[in-house]
């Protein structure tokens, strides 16, 4: 990270890197967000992102921050400045993009917020580093494979690379062994909680993920 980062940016990034898992919430119905988010927090998740293509994402970010002041709530799928402004106004504590956009970094850093910036190719990653992105989100990582990610760590060994897409319990440790600083989980966690059985199943799944994270 550049020398101009603020204490707030550093603290938020440190927590993300310490927790090693970001839970992505992407749902079709706004009413389903709070039950899922509350279940994830109850299970032990401390870093979540609510995507901009989830209906009412701004309201849900505000609500989540009010209910859970000890966790980090960020905004995901922030593809342009307009969405970034909405996310910041909603109180997002970090910004996640699927693409590489220097203007989003500039805006977020003006508000002391870190950016987890989407990048795929070596050129994307080099640009994201030049734009002072705080963490590089390699996306879609699963489509390219762990070998590709490991190859990226060669020239970019000092960068914080976080694979997103295709991460599951079966390959979680392989991604960390390949050099991932953290991972983000979407499909396994973005589930509609209809009843107590759904909630208990999700909580157990989260516990399995947390127990599989390498320490140190």
């Amino acid at each position: 990270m550049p020398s101009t980062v603020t204490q707030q940016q550093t603290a938020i990034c440190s927590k993300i890197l310490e927790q090693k898992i970001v839970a992505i919430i992407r749902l079709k119905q706004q009413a389903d967000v709070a039950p899922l988010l509350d279940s994830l927090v109850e299970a032990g998740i401390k870093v979540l992102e609510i995507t901009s293509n989830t209906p009412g994402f701004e309201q849900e970010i505000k609500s989540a921050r009010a209910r859970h002041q000890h966790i980090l709530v960020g905004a995901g799928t922030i593809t342009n400045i307009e969405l970034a402004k909405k996310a910041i106004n909603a109180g997002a504590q970090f910004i996640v993009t699927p693409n590489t956009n220097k203007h989003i970094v500039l805006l977020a850093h003006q508000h002391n917020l870190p950016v987890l910036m989407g990048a795929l190719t070596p050129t994307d990653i080099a640009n994201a580093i030049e734009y002072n992105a705080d963490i590089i989100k390699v996306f879609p990582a699963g489509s390219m494979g762990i070998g590709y990610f490991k190859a990226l760590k060669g020239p970019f060994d000092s960068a914080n690379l976080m694979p997103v897409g295709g991460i599951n319990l079966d390959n979680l440790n392989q991604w960390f062994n390949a050099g991932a600083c953290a991972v983000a989980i979407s499909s396994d966690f973005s589930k509609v909680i209809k009843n107590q059985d759904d909630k208990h199943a999700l909580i157990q799944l989260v516990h399995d993920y947390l127990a599989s994270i390498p320490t140190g």
Side-chain angles (χ1 to χ4, degrees):
M1 291 185 292
S3 59
T4 54
V5 295
T6 65
Q7 288 184 335
Q8 177 176 304
Q9 283 173 247
T10 300
I12 293 172
C13 282
S14 294
K15 184 165 184 176
I16 294 171
L17 296 175
E18 174 188 327
Q19 294 299 317
K20 292 187 171 66
I21 281 191
V22 179
I24 300 173
I25 294 178
R26 177 181 283 107
L27 294 170
K28 295 180 179 179
Q29 302 294 330
Q30 182 177 354
D32 294 327
V33 175
L36 171 61
L37 188 144
D38 292 347
S39 297
L40 289 168
V41 173
E42 182 178 335
I45 292 294
K46 293 182 172 61
V47 184
L48 303 106
E49 78 173 74
I50 301 174
T51 67
S52 70
N53 51 1
T54 294
F57 86 101
E58 297 161 86
Q59 182 180 342
E60 294 307 319
I61 288 173
K62 292 178 183 176
S63 178
R65 289 208 57 194
R67 295 197 312 280
H68 303 289
Q69 298 180 15
H70 64 293
I71 67 168
L72 291 177
V73 182
T77 317
I78 303 301
T79 55
N80 55 53
I81 285 293
E82 289 71 26
L83 285 172
K85 289 177 179 177
K86 290 181 179 181
I88 291 167
N89 290 336
Q93 292 166 290
F94 59 93
I95 302 297
V96 188
T97 77
N99 55 313
T100 309
N101 184 323
K102 66 179 178 181
H103 301 293
I104 292 176
V105 179
L106 290 171
L107 178 64
H109 285 183
Q110 287 173 10
H111 293 269
N112 301 321
L113 301 179
V115 177
L116 285 58
M117 176 142 286
L120 182 61
T121 69
T123 299
D124 292 339
I125 293 170
N127 285 339
I129 292 170
E130 184 176 340
Y131 301 156
N132 292 329
D134 301 271
I135 293 173
I136 311 299
K137 166 187 166 179
V138 179
F139 174 81
S143 299
M144 303 302 289
I146 294 171
Y148 177 80
F149 181 83
K150 190 180 293 186
L152 291 175
K153 285 297 292 185
F156 300 109
D157 58 327
S158 61
N160 284 323
L161 300 185
M162 181 183 81
V164 179
I167 318 298
N168 56 53
L169 273 175
D170 292 332
N171 61 32
L172 183 66
N173 274 300
Q174 295 178 54
W175 288 104
F176 281 112
N177 290 337
C181 67
V183 298
I185 309 296
S186 178
S187 58
D188 271 358
F189 290 172
S190 268
K191 298 180 181 296
V192 176
I193 305 300
K194 298 178 181 177
N195 50 51
Q196 284 297 110
D197 287 344
D198 289 345
K199 178 179 178 178
H200 292 152
L202 176 67
I203 288 176
Q204 182 58 57
L205 181 61
V206 171
H207 287 170
D208 291 342
Y209 267 95
L210 295 178
S212 300
I213 297 174
T215 58

